[in-house]
Amino acid sequence: MRIAGIPYRSVWVDPADGWSVRIFDQTRLPWAVEILRLTDEEQVVHAIRSMQVRGAPLIGAVAAYGLALALRRDPASLEAAAEMLGRTRPTAVNLRWALERMLARLRNTPLPERAAAAYAEAALICDEDVAMNEAIGRHGLPLIEEAAARKGGGRVNILTHCNAGWIATVDWGTALSPIYRAHDAGIPVHVWVDETRPRNQGAALTAWELGAHGVPHTVVADNAGGHLMQRGEVDLVIVGTDRVTRRGDVANKIGTYLKALAAKDNGVPFWVALPSPTLDTRIADGVAEIPIEERGASEVTEATGLLPDGTVATVRVAAAGSPAANPAFDVTPARLVTGLITERGRCEASEAGLSSLFPERFA
Amino acid sequence: MRIAGIPYRSVWVDPADGWSVRIFDQTRLPWAVEILRLTDEEQVVHAIRSMQVRGAPLIGAVAAYGLALALRRDPASLEAAAEMLGRTRPTAVNLRWALERMLARLRNTPLPERAAAAYAEAALICDEDVAMNEAIGRHGLPLIEEAAARKGGGRVNILTHCNAGWIATVDWGTALSPIYRAHDAGIPVHVWVDETRPRNQGAALTAWELGAHGVPHTVVADNAGGHLMQRGEVDLVIVGTDRVTRRGDVANKIGTYLKALAAKDNGVPFWVALPSPTLDTRIADGVAEIPIEERGASEVTEATGLLPDGTVATVRVAAAGSPAANPAFDVTPARLVTGLITERGRCEASEAGLSSLFPERFA
């Protein structure tokens, strides 16, 4: 998508040298648009772990380039580099999916050809991600068109949580892809943007990218969604996901489950957008089986933002000496999910629904 | 309760002059313990509106003293001052209750005696608040004792939202009163403290007062409560309230409704602690009838805390130019409330339950 009129992807190979990897430092957004240059796999590990890149699809794509950077230095480092990159984030399934795809492609490639093959495969992963997200936008669009029709052309209010926009993917986004498409088609959409504490990806990143594209939106505290639904001010919820189980349970940013409960209680459709690499058919029960990353307490006890003088600062918001816990994801059971939006169309959040669209994954 | 070993109430008449009113500046807590001196009703209006005092019971008590300060200057200003004080916060019913009680007591009092009578009545409101909250602690304690027995003496995990502690009342608190009592009785309690964006009363105030009293606690993002309940890490929810309708609907800090939904979904008891002035028998349907205060957007787009150098600063956490909405309360329907803890005992959140304890209010 565009920043100040210039089209970008969220990861690319530097055209000047043909091998280094470029990303936006998302820990600096929205305060500053800074492009980083990654030159080895250790920088990629740091970028993923420190959330300079985040968003399940983007993590997978950047990890694939991390492997390419490793093989450029040492073609024999394939397994060790994949192992190291795989340990960076435990919840997102795309990371493992991308690394396994790279391993399968490269294990039997002669050492002298590995680096070039890795760059080609990583580029393919990126192009496929863009194509999938574009398709998610097409398949999600009718949900917004129908809501607009129900409202007689009135504003369609869509609530989203965290950031599942273009900067969480290679381009387009997942949850935001139908929204960008609807907006571009002239449907009057308005997005309730959950702040998404503790890291504020909603207030910082989703608000930033919607604003840059000109999509009307309003930031709200994570606490507000239930009230807005109770008052009829939400027509539709669309969120992204870090992992969907074979029966349709959805792991996503902490707090998603609370919004799904509120949507159910108020008859608001609750849709989850996912490219198929996010589907993990190896597990069924999301609550029991998906490992939930526990991140550092300081994310909860602190908040980062801009001081009046324009410098970025971190302030402690919790009382001195109080400990904090920071589970980063939760699991929304399939029973609370109206449906899934994938690159092959929409389906019920169930094994029947998913296997109808992706029979080869359930064979 | 105590700060550094010294017992305090959260509002008192200055013993040095016998008429000015002392409060903690709660916008400065937990960063600094600063005691303000209020000398006229306009300062009281400012203190309530700017949330230097907050918490429904405390607002009522301080407003009562505001009337006393007004009458000290002009005994004929009764109705005008009550009108001005009553406009400060729209949601909490205690404010209106306290002012109406003062009006009823003072309207027929001769002008020369009004100020003294107002001080006496305000002191009575304070003493009654303390007695009610102490009784709420007694009636809530068995819930924690039963949870401790179920866990064979293991740690009882209680989740609370916002601040319904002693600094939200004149003393003891409402939701925290049973917790203080259980802790003092040697029951191993641990409190999950919801941060409570956008104003962070949980992370800042509840964590501070629990820490000062030595109650084990952990601050979590508002998003985390559903996940904790799903994993069996919450035995009990206790929250305060700003208004309870005759049929048991509960207005409380924005986000309470989401926790009630999660509690219901996971079979976790969800209790609401209230002194009876918080009961508003004039209305039945909380969602339809309780006005919800919309506060300034900057509370959402900003966060206030301590810089590493120890100074208090406010940072902008939302993307530049993004608007925000800030509904301050939501309504939890009675069907999601396990029960109410009042100064007269516990009851079902229903007209039958409430009228069994407070028949005179339903006459």
Side-chain angles (χ1 to χ4, degrees):
Chain A
M1 311 301 274
R2 290 173 185 271
I3 304 172
I6 300 165
Y8 283 95
R9 285 185 174 188
S10 56
V11 58
W12 67 98
V13 172
D14 193 326
D17 61 29
W19 65 270
S20 69
V21 176
R22 294 293 198 161
I23 59 166
F24 294 102
D25 183 349
Q26 297 199 21
T27 63
R28 298 282 292 142
L29 285 174
W31 325 120
V33 178
E34 282 180 13
I35 294 169
L36 299 181
R37 180 166 179 261
L38 307 178
T39 58
D40 62 40
E41 68 275 23
E42 269 142 35
Q43 290 178 352
V44 172
V45 164
H46 174 73
I48 296 173
R49 193 167 275 150
S50 68
M51 298 181 72
Q52 288 172 336
V53 289
R54 22 70 54 202
L58 179 58
I59 288 170
V62 173
Y65 275 119
L67 222 44
L69 288 170
L71 298 179
R72 185 174 172 274
R73 293 205 299 186
D74 175 9
S77 69
L78 180 63
E79 305 286 342
E83 166 75 19
M84 182 174 75
L85 288 159
R87 277 197 308 266
T88 49
R89 300 286 303 276
T91 302
V93 73
N94 304 57
L95 172 63
R96 206 170 56 188
W97 168 87
L99 291 172
E100 284 176 6
R101 171 168 164 170
M102 296 291 284
L103 285 171
R105 171 72 185 79
L106 299 169
R107 266 198 193 106
N108 300 319
T109 302
L111 293 186
E113 296 164 27
R114 273 191 180 173
Y119 275 100
E121 192 69 14
L124 204 57
I125 286 175
C126 288
D127 288 347
E128 288 176 13
D129 184 65
V130 175
M132 282 189 290
N133 298 332
E134 192 273 342
I136 286 170
R138 272 189 283 114
H139 295 303
L141 178 62
L143 300 172
I144 301 173
E145 290 174 330
E146 286 156 22
R150 278 198 304 275
K151 301 192 83 173
R155 188 175 89 154
V156 178
N157 294 300
I158 304 169
L159 184 139
T160 193
H161 191 69
C162 198
N163 175 260
W166 76 269
I167 55 170
T169 62
V170 180
D171 207 351
W172 278 104
T174 56
L176 297 194
S177 185
I179 294 171
Y180 283 125
R181 194 167 276 268
H183 175 78
D184 290 350
I187 298 173
V189 290
H190 165 261
V191 184
W192 294 111
V193 177
D194 273 0
E195 176 182 31
T196 319
R197 281 282 289 158
R199 290 184 67 91
N200 293 354
Q201 294 97 330
L205 303 179
T206 298
W208 174 76
E209 54 161 290
L210 290 173
H213 197 82
V215 180
H217 65 281
T218 304
V219 178
V220 288
D222 300 304
N223 285 322
H227 170 73
L228 294 172
M229 293 187 211
Q230 245 178 1
R231 303 269 163 146
E233 295 186 45
V234 181
D235 299 302
L236 191 65
V237 179
I238 311 180
V239 297
T241 171
D242 294 81
R243 192 182 312 202
V244 172
T245 72
R246 63 186 294 123
R247 74 180 193 200
D249 293 342
V250 172
N252 191 41
K253 184 59 54 196
I254 190 80
T256 302
Y257 167 51
L258 295 170
K259 296 301 145 62
L261 286 166
K264 187 79 165 184
D265 201 48
N266 292 284
V268 174
F270 184 93
W271 288 86
V272 177
L274 71 147
S276 58
T278 306
L279 173 60
D280 185 354
T281 54
R282 287 171 291 195
I283 60 174
D285 181 338
V287 174
E289 297 179 69
I290 297 177
I292 299 296
E293 177 179 1
E294 177 79 26
R295 296 186 56 85
S298 66
E299 291 183 358
V300 175
T301 56
E302 298 175 351
T304 296
L306 221 51
L307 287 168
D309 69 4
T311 58
V312 177
T314 297
V315 293
R316 182 177 173 94
V317 295
S322 287
N326 187 14
F329 301 90
D330 64 20
V331 174
T332 299
R335 65 185 153 84
L336 300 175
V337 178
T338 306
L340 307 172
I341 312 169
T342 80
E343 73 270 22
R344 293 195 190 161
R346 300 190 303 276
C347 71
E348 194 182 81
S350 66
E351 187 151 345
L354 281 163
S355 63
S356 72
L357 290 183
F358 300 97
E360 76 283 10
R361 301 286 298 277
F362 288 80
Chain B
M1 312 299 274
R2 290 174 185 271
I3 303 172
I6 300 165
Y8 283 95
R9 286 186 173 186
S10 55
V11 57
W12 67 98
V13 172
D14 193 325
D17 61 29
W19 65 270
S20 69
V21 175
R22 294 291 199 162
I23 58 166
F24 294 101
D25 182 349
Q26 298 199 20
T27 63
R28 298 281 290 142
L29 285 175
W31 326 119
V33 179
E34 283 181 10
I35 294 169
L36 300 180
R37 181 167 179 262
L38 307 178
T39 59
D40 63 40
E41 68 276 22
E42 269 143 35
Q43 291 178 350
V44 172
V45 163
H46 173 74
I48 296 173
R49 193 168 275 152
S50 67
M51 298 181 69
Q52 289 172 335
V53 288
R54 20 73 51 204
L58 179 57
I59 288 170
V62 173
Y65 276 118
L67 222 44
L69 288 170
L71 298 179
R72 185 174 173 273
R73 292 205 301 187
D74 175 7
S77 69
L78 180 62
E79 305 286 341
E83 166 77 18
M84 183 175 74
L85 288 159
R87 277 197 308 266
T88 48
R89 300 286 302 276
T91 303
V93 72
N94 303 55
L95 172 63
R96 205 170 57 190
W97 168 87
L99 292 171
E100 284 177 7
R101 172 169 162 168
M102 294 290 284
L103 285 171
R105 171 71 185 80
L106 298 168
R107 266 198 191 104
N108 299 320
T109 302
L111 292 186
E113 298 164 26
R114 274 191 179 174
Y119 275 100
E121 192 69 14
L124 204 56
I125 286 174
C126 288
D127 288 346
E128 288 176 13
D129 183 65
V130 175
M132 282 189 290
N133 298 332
E134 191 273 342
I136 285 170
R138 271 188 285 113
H139 295 303
L141 178 62
L143 300 171
I144 301 173
E145 290 173 329
E146 286 156 22
R150 278 197 304 276
K151 302 194 81 175
R155 189 175 87 155
V156 177
N157 293 301
I158 304 168
L159 185 140
T160 193
H161 191 71
C162 199
N163 176 259
W166 75 267
I167 55 170
T169 63
V170 180
D171 207 350
W172 279 101
T174 56
L176 296 195
S177 185
I179 294 171
Y180 283 125
R181 193 167 276 268
H183 174 79
D184 290 351
I187 298 172
V189 290
H190 165 262
V191 184
W192 294 111
V193 177
D194 274 359
E195 175 182 31
T196 320
R197 282 281 290 159
R199 290 185 66 91
N200 294 356
Q201 294 97 331
L205 303 179
T206 298
W208 174 76
E209 56 162 289
L210 289 174
H213 197 81
V215 180
H217 65 282
T218 303
V219 178
V220 288
D222 299 306
N223 285 321
H227 170 74
L228 294 172
M229 293 186 211
Q230 245 178 0
R231 303 268 163 148
E233 295 187 43
V234 181
D235 298 302
L236 191 66
V237 180
I238 311 179
V239 297
T241 171
D242 294 82
R243 192 183 310 202
V244 171
T245 72
R246 62 187 293 122
R247 72 181 193 198
D249 293 342
V250 172
N252 192 40
K253 183 59 54 193
I254 191 80
T256 302
Y257 167 51
L258 294 171
K259 295 302 146 61
L261 286 165
K264 188 78 166 185
D265 200 47
N266 292 283
V268 174
F270 184 94
W271 287 86
V272 178
L274 72 147
S276 58
T278 306
L279 172 61
D280 187 353
T281 54
R282 287 170 292 196
I283 61 175
D285 182 339
V287 174
E289 298 179 70
I290 297 177
I292 299 297
E293 178 180 1
E294 177 80 24
R295 296 185 58 86
S298 66
E299 291 184 356
V300 174
T301 57
E302 299 174 350
T304 297
L306 221 51
L307 287 169
D309 69 3
T311 59
V312 177
T314 297
V315 293
R316 183 175 173 94
V317 294
S322 287
N326 187 15
F329 301 89
D330 64 20
V331 174
T332 298
R335 66 185 152 86
L336 300 175
V337 179
T338 306
L340 307 172
I341 312 169
T342 80
E343 74 270 21
R344 291 192 191 165
R346 300 191 302 275
C347 71
E348 193 182 83
S350 67
E351 186 150 347
L354 281 162
S355 63
S356 72
L357 290 182
F358 300 98
E360 76 282 9
R361 301 285 298 277
F362 287 81

